[in-house]
Amino acid sequence: MSIPERIESIKRELPSHVKLIAVTKTHPVEAIMQAYQAGHKVFGENRVQELMAKYNQLPKDVEWHLIGHLQTNKVKYIAPFISLIHSVDSIKLLSAIDKEGEKFNRVIDSLLQVHIALEETKFGLSADELHQLLQSSEYAQMRHIRILGLMGVATFTDNHQLVRTEFRFLRNLFDEVKRLYFSQTESFNELSMGMSSDYRIAVEEGSTMVRIGSNIFGMRSYT
Ligand SMILES: *Cc1c(COP(=O)(O)O)cnc(C)c1O
């Protein structure tokens, strides 16, 4: 199957309320252009440097999502154009995004990343840290960020039950956070969970955004 055919077939399978973020990391601009020319314009990258290189080469109506760990000193590069930052995992980073949003006179949409996997290396807030952040006076004063929901990366494993448990945990946390802090906020509605190997489970557990790379563009080669 070609890249556009793979995108089509995944989209056909997804419920209409689930958005497909095509993850382009390590793949060349030519591959991304195949998707773009077939009408798919929502792409995700996990590193700022690579995102900037591709942003500069691709048409300006692409909707870019940052899905990987973000350092506060790099926020300034993406602040003018980024559509959604999926990976906010500290009040310090949120505050840096707020400041850059103010500079560029825009409100930057973000998701809070929650640590749901067994692996210690994966980034994200604990449930306690998430509550602390949302209750902080620092957050209450921010005017240039808008939190649309939560994001999580499940354990990379064949154990589907474990993956399902992790997604369900995130879904329940989302419901709780929405009830406690965002009950009057319609825009708090996104749950970014699911990758190539586990997006079907994620959708069953309530995902509204799936981040799919290898199923569309093929295997990544890290050199
Ligand atoms: C790379 C990456 C993906 C996509 O992974 P695939 O297995 O290629 O679909 C999704 N989310 C994050 C955070 C990633 O870094």
Side-chain angles (χ1 to χ4, degrees):
M1 268 199 279
S2 68
I3 288 170
E5 284 167 345
R6 287 189 205 145
I7 289 179
E8 248 335 288
S9 112
I10 294 169
K11 277 186 178 162
R12 264 200 304 276
E13 193 190 329
L14 294 175
S16 58
H17 66 275
V18 179
K19 183 165 183 163
L20 172 62
I21 320 295
V23 176
T24 49
K25 65 187 186 204
T26 77
H27 297 289
V29 165
E30 294 71 43
I32 308 173
M33 272 313 285
Q34 289 182 38
Y36 179 88
Q37 276 158 352
H40 189 85
K41 302 187 177 180
V42 185
F43 300 116
E45 280 284 332
N46 70 333
R47 292 175 58 228
V48 169
Q49 202 180 353
E50 194 173 341
L51 171 57
M52 292 311 295
K54 287 170 178 171
Y55 169 75
N56 286 320
Q57 292 175 72
L58 281 148
K60 290 296 169 282
D61 63 339
V62 164
E63 188 183 304
W64 286 106
H65 292 233
L66 187 81
I67 62 172
H69 185 65
L70 176 59
Q71 289 169 289
T72 52
N73 62 346
K74 294 200 173 147
V75 174
K76 57 177 179 278
Y77 301 114
I78 61 171
F81 67 89
I82 199 78
S83 283
L84 181 62
I85 301 173
H86 290 232
S87 43
V88 178
D89 59 358
S90 70
I91 186 84
K92 185 167 148 257
L93 177 56
L94 200 62
S95 162
I97 297 169
D98 184 56
K99 288 201 178 72
E100 293 301 325
E102 185 170 11
K103 275 187 207 154
F104 292 100
N105 196 25
R106 63 185 295 243
V107 174
I108 300 178
D109 285 339
S110 302
L111 304 176
L112 297 175
Q113 181 172 357
V114 178
H115 184 275
I116 58 172
L118 293 178
E119 290 104 307
E120 281 179 20
T121 53
K122 289 196 176 150
F123 297 101
L125 300 154
S126 68
D128 281 350
E129 290 167 336
L130 177 66
H131 286 290
Q132 273 171 33
L133 187 157
L134 292 168
Q135 289 168 9
S136 68
S137 54
E138 210 180 337
Y139 166 61
Q141 282 160 21
M142 296 180 188
R143 294 291 172 267
H144 294 86
I145 54 108
R146 182 170 71 159
I147 297 176
L148 299 189
L150 304 181
M151 181 272 223
V153 180
T155 302
F156 187 70
T157 172
D158 291 336
N159 182 344
H160 289 186
Q161 198 47 54
L162 176 62
V163 170
R164 188 177 294 282
T165 304
E166 292 172 354
F167 285 149
R168 194 164 293 178
F169 169 82
L170 188 59
R171 166 61 196 271
N172 289 336
L173 189 58
F174 171 88
D175 288 342
E176 186 189 6
V177 161
K178 183 161 176 85
R179 183 168 48 77
L180 287 174
Y181 312 106
F182 295 97
S183 59
Q184 309 299 323
T185 319
E186 257 177 53
S187 51
F188 188 89
N189 242 334
E190 303 293 347
L191 197 45
S192 169
M193 55 186 199
M195 313 177 20
S196 289
S197 58
D198 58 19
Y199 73 90
R200 293 186 179 92
I201 303 173
V203 168
E204 285 169 11
E205 296 301 327
S207 172
T208 66
M209 285 185 177
V210 291
R211 311 175 308 268
I212 299 184
S214 16
N215 282 12
I216 295 170
F217 298 104
M219 299 277 277
R220 285 182 290 275
S221 56
Y222 291 99
T223 48

